Amino acid sequence: MNRGIDPAESRQTERKLRVARRIILGSMLFVLLVLVGLPLTELTLGTDKVALWRTLLAEAVAVPLGVALMAMFRDRMDGRRDPRPWLYWGSIAMAAVAAAALQVPISGMFFLGAWWAVGVFVASRRRGAAVSALLLALPWALIPFSPVDVRFVPFLVTWAVSIAWALMLSAGSLASLWLWDVTNDAVKGQRARARLAVTEERLRFARDMHDLLGHSLSALAVKAELASRLVDRAPARAAAEMEEVHELARKALQQVRTAVSGYREVDLAEEVASVGAVLAANGTAVSVTGLEGLSLPPDRESLAAWVVREGVTNVLRHSDATVCEIAFTRAKDTAVGRALVVEVSNDGARDGGERGTSSGSGLAGLSERVSLGGGSLSAARTRGGGFLLRAVLPL
């Protein structure tokens, strides 16, 4: 039976997404530092060669420009494909003003390249292409505003170098956006599959209950109606019909209990295969012994599967294990006679882990379940920093 969405796992997933989002946004701070730092580099040329007011103007524009770029990049991560027009075109205007204020051509070109490395990905491709063409031509249009002598060949080389630098810088922005989109889509797909699994399980349960009880309840309705009509004319027959109603109700109740009990049971082989796949995906090697050819009563098989499930959940949550061993052993001379011993061990327990948090969860809940089945549960650390969960289930 498919299980619903685990609230703890959902919170953990949301927390991972928030951390990933902060890391990606934090990596974009490099562009902000470039925008703020480029005007300051001109001060190293000496105040006699540069106009201080132009440097201060470029610096004053660089700060809000960086903030605008970060805001547009954040909106793009949130799924907004079309940026807010005033923010987008306002940032382009600020980039042009700052590039015109910068007095060294390479500084202005690198400034425009820094904007392009982020701004080209926050809008549609058609708009990005048009803006790219505008920024490619803008350094040539700003030549009259440069206080230094501009020579064609060095300027052309600088222009080409700034384009290559902008392309390399944009690769980081593109990779960050791509990884975020892939991660976000994967999480959304996982949530959708979980919701679909829950919906399918509800439909299956409803269908099974309808098929199971439809005939019994219909028969009960017919018998009850017949008994009500016969109560005055043939009391003896009416009493017989009511006895049949009682028997049908008892059988229907038994069918419901049997069905619900079947839903609660867990298949041992399927559970071992499932947890093995999860451990392998977590980078933990899995060793299973004693399962092949093991034949158990349904209630013992279900209980053993619960031990495996909770034991492996404990490994995932409270260990850094590289190896997990799951062993099934038949024993004769135990405190409960013939028994099945289920052991789940790992080689990397964390300090403070491997313990239940309440009577209804973790090892505490598992201990109650095993005790109700007549068995016993023990959990202890092993030599080398490992952990062993051992359940003895009477047969």
Side-chain angles (χ1 to χ4, degrees):
M1 178 175 178
N2 294 324
R3 294 187 298 173
I5 302 173
D6 188 348
E9 293 180 0
S10 178
R11 289 193 297 270
Q12 186 177 13
T13 301
E14 292 293 340
R15 184 164 56 251
K16 289 180 179 179
L17 275 179
R18 287 196 299 269
V19 172
R21 176 188 173 89
R22 290 169 184 169
I23 291 175
I24 293 175
L25 288 175
S27 66
M28 291 296 103
L29 290 176
F30 175 75
V31 177
L32 180 59
L33 293 176
V34 170
L35 294 175
V36 174
L38 280 173
L40 298 178
T41 60
E42 293 194 342
L43 295 178
T44 61
L45 299 177
T47 55
D48 56 332
K49 296 183 180 180
V50 298
L52 183 59
W53 70 270
R54 294 183 63 164
T55 301
L56 295 177
L57 174 60
E59 189 67 42
V61 174
V63 175
L65 175 59
V67 174
L69 275 179
M70 291 291 291
M72 289 190 294
F73 193 83
R74 181 196 60 198
D75 291 344
R76 171 61 180 80
M77 290 179 64
D78 292 338
R80 184 165 186 164
R81 300 289 178 172
D82 190 16
R84 287 168 281 186
W86 64 269
L87 189 61
Y88 185 77
W89 296 112
S91 68
I92 294 178
M94 286 188 290
V97 170
L102 291 171
Q103 298 153 82
V104 180
I106 191 172
S107 299
M109 294 179 191
F110 273 49
F111 196 95
L112 294 175
W115 183 96
W116 181 87
V118 178
V120 72
F121 299 113
V122 300
S124 63
R125 293 182 179 180
R126 179 178 298 179
R127 182 181 297 180
V131 172
S132 299
L134 172 65
L135 295 181
L136 285 173
L138 189 58
W140 298 92
L142 294 178
I143 291 178
F145 297 94
S146 178
V148 299
D149 295 334
V150 176
R151 297 181 181 180
F152 178 76
V153 174
F155 190 88
L156 180 62
V157 172
T158 303
W159 182 71
V161 170
S162 66
I163 293 175
W165 178 81
L167 289 173
M168 289 189 293
L169 191 61
S170 67
S173 301
L174 180 60
S176 298
L177 281 175
W178 182 79
L179 288 174
W180 171 255
D181 288 341
V182 169
T183 303
N184 209 23
D185 290 344
V187 171
K188 289 180 180 178
Q190 184 182 23
R191 292 170 180 166
R193 288 192 297 272
R195 288 193 295 267
L196 179 61
V198 172
T199 301
E200 289 180 346
E201 194 59 39
R202 287 173 176 170
L203 291 175
R204 186 170 73 92
F205 186 81
R207 183 175 60 251
D208 290 349
M209 288 298 101
H210 177 270
D211 295 341
L212 183 67
L213 297 177
H215 173 73
S216 298
L217 294 179
S218 298
L220 281 171
V222 172
K223 291 288 186 180
E225 184 180 359
L226 178 60
S228 65
R229 291 201 304 265
L230 294 175
V231 67
D232 293 329
R233 293 181 299 170
R237 187 178 173 187
E241 293 293 340
M242 289 305 299
E243 284 293 330
E244 291 190 20
V245 168
H246 175 73
E247 182 64 19
L248 283 172
R250 187 187 64 80
K251 288 182 178 180
L253 180 60
Q254 183 61 36
Q255 288 176 333
V256 171
R257 288 174 176 173
T258 302
V260 172
S261 176
Y263 271 87
R264 289 177 177 172
E265 291 179 357
V266 185
D267 183 80
L268 180 58
E270 291 181 0
E271 190 63 30
V272 171
S274 175
V275 300
V278 173
L279 286 171
N282 193 52
T284 304
V286 186
S287 173
V288 181
T289 58
L291 181 61
E292 187 175 358
L294 183 63
S295 179
L296 299 170
D299 59 334
R300 301 294 93 177
E301 180 178 350
S302 177
L303 190 55
W306 276 107
V307 173
V308 172
R309 173 183 294 179
E310 296 296 340
V312 171
T313 300
N314 221 41
V315 173
L316 293 172
R317 291 182 177 177
H318 304 296
S319 79
D320 299 312
T322 58
V323 177
C324 177
E325 297 180 356
I326 304 173
F328 303 91
T329 308
R330 286 181 176 271
K332 295 181 179 179
D333 301 326
T334 67
V336 293
R338 293 175 58 254
L340 174 69
V341 180
V342 183
E343 294 180 329
V344 181
S345 61
N346 69 83
D347 63 348
R350 299 195 198 112
D351 292 335
E354 283 80 28
R355 61 175 179 268
T357 57
S358 68
S359 61
S361 62
L363 297 188
L366 179 60
S367 180
E368 290 183 1
R369 186 185 293 272
V370 172
S371 297
L372 290 175
S376 62
L377 183 75
S378 63
R381 288 186 174 274
T382 60
R383 293 181 180 178
F387 193 85
L388 172 64
L389 178 67
R390 188 173 188 265
V392 180
L393 311 178
L395 297 177

